[in-house]
Amino acid sequence: MPRLVHLAPASRRRGIERSGIRGESTQVYTGNKEPETLSRAVFAMPILPDFSVTYQWLRELRRWHHERMLAVHFVAPSDEDVWVGRYNKPHEKVSLGAAVRRVTEDPAGNEIILTRSIRKNEIASVRELTQLVGWTETPEPSTFDCLCRMCVRAGTPDLMRRVRAAFERHVLEARQALESDDVVRALSRLDLPLERARGRLTPDKLLAFVRSPERDVRRVATSLLGNFKWAAVETALAARLRDEYGSVREAAVRAMIRSGGVRRAHAHVAKVSDDLVTSTFVEHLEYGHDIDTSARLLTEIARSGSSQVVSRVARAAAELMRDDEASHVTRALLSSLRPGT
């Protein structure tokens, strides 16, 4: 059975150790006019002799998740059907064994997609690893000025000068772009500079993009606000909780949590009668590190939520109950949220 690795945000470690890797909905481009929708998908790479190839996706994924990534090693049957291909090219449905051979021969930018969740008993280990491996934007060599911690170490005298320069350069690229896709690409390049800035920049120059008429521009810009101080972005993020598009509302919830923490985010989420917003917040609580806080907030949400939200809260409570570190008081709260109690 091939051994594979899935890169997951560190905040999901407890949930993965309790229940395995939950597959998420995604679309796969097959070369046909319409992409194929997968209701449960897990992205993976085979464990190869070359460490940098095995974990090539790490830095690129970290740019989107805004947190440390973990390596989840697992096994799957070699005759299982999976999708394989380069991220921006058509994918092909083959057996896992054939997919591993294909990636081994030409690994750059390739990925394997399993069409199901990964069970707990299939996971071999969950490991910490260096965050400095892999490419960003494209597997091919590029000429952009890198600001990663390997290229520019903390304490470097001109760190903030380089960060501000990169911030200004990519904001200008976004302003000058003629197509929304180009605006999105330019804004996406701001993730690393903002991470290195650690709240020392102001979001003023991004607020116009947060109000853009283009959905994807608003989504990416809203996500970036999570890198700024709470007082500077609270109002803008609160407005996006009522955006007409669900992807933007989801981005606003996650940015609120990154910038202000779960309690501040909950104060705003509680004011919005939107199941998607509340369910996105509940998902974070399900994988949160502070089980006691998660249990208390889930209890508050269940009191005023719709039947759909209450059902989502019950599933989250059931997952948190699996954690052996939960106190007796917390277990009692979580138990009261499960169906039939």
Side-chain angles (χ1 to χ4, degrees):
M1 297 175 71
R3 191 180 179 104
L4 307 171
V5 61
H6 169 75
L7 297 176
S11 61
R12 297 185 181 180
R13 180 168 195 154
R14 284 188 174 178
I16 290 172
E17 290 175 339
R18 282 194 302 264
S19 309
I21 306 170
R22 183 179 59 184
E24 299 181 354
S25 175
T26 193
Q27 290 187 323
V28 176
Y29 178 51
T30 63
N32 298 325
K33 186 175 182 180
E34 295 295 332
E36 178 157 339
T37 299
L38 305 178
S39 59
R40 286 284 182 265
V42 172
F43 290 81
M45 281 286 290
I47 305 294
L48 301 174
D50 190 326
F51 180 87
S52 63
V53 172
T54 300
Y55 300 103
Q56 62 171 294
W57 282 93
L58 193 146
R59 286 179 63 202
E60 178 66 8
L61 291 176
R62 193 176 173 214
R63 289 202 313 139
W64 291 97
H65 288 284
H66 306 280
E67 60 178 299
R68 292 182 64 84
M69 305 298 288
L70 298 170
V72 185
H73 290 197
F74 66 96
V75 294
S78 59
D79 58 353
E80 178 176 340
D81 285 340
V82 299
W83 291 91
V84 64
R86 185 184 161 102
Y87 66 93
N88 58 354
K89 297 287 180 63
H91 285 46
E92 182 181 358
K93 195 170 189 178
V94 299
S95 68
L96 177 56
V100 170
R101 290 191 293 272
R102 175 170 169 177
V103 173
T104 302
E105 294 170 358
D106 183 21
N110 273 304
E111 59 192 7
I112 294 174
I113 307 175
L114 289 85
T115 59
R116 61 177 177 87
S117 298
I118 305 302
R119 297 183 297 275
K120 178 181 177 180
N121 61 7
E122 292 178 303
I123 294 178
S125 63
V126 181
R127 302 180 179 182
E128 298 280 350
L129 71 161
T130 176
Q131 303 294 293
L132 302 176
V133 63
W135 45 266
T136 58
E137 297 187 336
T138 175
E140 287 71 40
S142 58
T143 59
F144 73 98
D145 295 327
C146 184
L147 285 171
C148 77
R149 296 181 186 276
M150 180 61 75
C151 296
V152 187
R153 296 185 180 276
T156 301
D158 66 342
L159 172 59
M160 280 308 298
R161 179 188 64 78
R162 295 180 64 172
V163 165
R164 290 191 182 94
F167 178 77
E168 297 291 341
R169 180 170 65 255
H170 297 317
V171 168
L172 181 61
E173 290 173 358
R175 287 175 174 173
Q176 293 177 339
L178 300 179
E179 302 291 337
S180 62
D181 287 349
D182 294 329
V183 177
V184 168
R185 277 191 286 271
L187 291 176
S188 297
R189 297 186 187 107
L190 287 168
D191 186 76
L192 186 56
L194 289 177
E195 180 184 328
R196 298 305 305 272
R198 299 179 64 183
R200 287 175 285 182
L201 297 176
T202 61
D204 300 354
K205 294 181 179 180
L206 288 180
L207 296 182
F209 298 105
V210 174
R211 298 186 294 268
S212 168
E214 297 292 335
R215 174 189 58 191
D216 287 340
V217 173
R218 291 202 308 278
R219 173 181 56 79
V220 173
T222 297
S223 180
L224 289 172
L225 293 188
N227 293 290
F228 296 93
K229 292 182 178 179
W230 175 251
V233 298
E234 178 182 6
T235 301
L237 289 174
R240 295 280 67 81
L241 287 179
R242 293 173 170 82
D243 195 276
E244 62 180 310
Y245 289 102
S247 61
V248 181
R249 300 198 298 274
E250 289 177 332
V253 174
R254 296 189 175 100
M256 275 190 162
I257 294 170
R258 289 200 313 276
S259 177
V262 292
R263 293 186 182 277
R264 285 171 170 168
H266 177 254
H268 286 279
V269 169
K271 300 175 184 177
V272 181
S273 299
D274 184 277
D275 286 357
L276 177 62
V277 167
T278 307
S279 296
T280 302
F281 184 73
V282 169
E283 180 181 2
H284 179 86
L285 295 179
E286 179 180 340
Y287 290 98
H289 294 291
D290 189 341
I291 301 177
D292 295 339
T293 298
S294 292
R296 287 193 291 271
L297 293 180
L298 286 173
T299 302
E300 292 182 32
I301 292 169
R303 290 192 189 120
S304 57
S306 66
S307 59
Q308 177 182 335
V309 169
V310 171
S311 175
R312 183 65 185 87
V313 167
R315 295 201 306 273
E319 290 299 324
L320 290 172
M321 282 285 288
R322 297 172 181 267
D323 198 306
D324 296 333
E325 297 181 13
S327 66
H328 292 299
V329 174
T330 296
R331 285 185 173 278
L333 278 177
L334 294 171
S335 180
S336 69
L337 297 173
R338 295 186 300 174
T341 58

